[in-house]
Amino acid sequence: MNQFMPFDEEEKKSKKKNKGVSCDVKNCTYHDGESYCTAEQIAVGPSYATSCTDTVCATFRPKSF
């Protein structure tokens, strides 16, 4: 389970674009097929990061094909 926040199946089905969050990860469940994230909330971590290269999108879920 995600240590930052849990996601339920209903949230995954929501496809509203979050225009404040751009995303290039096309194999993520929350990628809209263009350049936006559709997750209701996002989590970025870990808390001990000291630069952008230390961070990850903890909301990422691989897309099922």
Side-chain angles (χ1 to χ4, degrees), residues 9-42:
E9 291 303 311
E10 285 302 311
E11 185 176 358
K12 283 184 178 183
K13 292 177 184 176
S14 172
K15 293 296 179 184
K16 183 177 179 184
K17 291 181 184 180
N18 184 341
K19 293 189 177 183
V21 181
S22 63
C23 179
D24 293 327
V25 185
K26 293 182 180 181
N27 66 328
C28 179
T29 298
Y30 300 110
H31 190 272
D32 76 338
E34 295 175 15
S35 61
Y36 293 105
C37 179
T38 61
E40 186 175 309
Q41 298 177 325
I42 63 167

